[in-house]
């Protein structure tokens, strides 16, 4: 599990599956920064990881400050699934 900062908006939401730097990950949660104040372009701060790490994310079985942080431009992100399917 790691933090991924995406500079720009590739059109993803929570539950998206993306590929960057040859790695396919699931976006567990996304914080959108730059709408009103902040950087000139939108930044998405995503908590990403493998599908089997989702239970740890839900139970907060990690320390956010100690997650590895990667930065990438929106153009370098391949969107496989833009958002999660709705569960009813």
């Amino acid at each position: 599990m790691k933090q991924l900062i995406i500079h720009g908006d590739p059109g993803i939401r929570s539950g998206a599956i993306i590929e960057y730097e040859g790695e396919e990950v699931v976006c567990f949660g996304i914080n959108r920064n730059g709408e009103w104040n902040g950087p000139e372009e939108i930044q998405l701060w995503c908590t990403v990881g493998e599908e089997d790490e989702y239970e740890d994310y839900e139970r907060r079985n990690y320390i956010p400050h100690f997650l590895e942080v990667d930065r990438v431009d929106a153009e370098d992100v391949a969107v496989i699934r833009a958002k999660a399917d709705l569960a009813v």
Side-chain angles (χ1 to χ4, degrees), residues 33-84:
N33 298 314
E35 294 277 74
W36 299 99
N37 298 316
E40 290 182 14
E41 66 179 345
I42 300 295
Q43 287 183 353
L44 301 180
W45 289 46
C46 310
T47 304
V48 299
E50 302 294 322
E51 285 186 40
D52 59 345
E53 295 176 315
Y54 185 70
E55 186 176 341
D56 285 336
Y57 172 77
E58 273 195 327
R59 295 178 182 262
R60 304 286 187 221
N61 232 0
Y62 65 98
I63 301 172
H65 291 93
F66 294 117
L67 291 178
E68 178 183 339
V69 177
D70 284 343
R71 294 175 181 266
V72 68
D73 290 326
E75 298 84 35
D76 299 330
V77 173
V79 179
I80 297 169
R81 183 179 75 188
K83 59 185 178 181

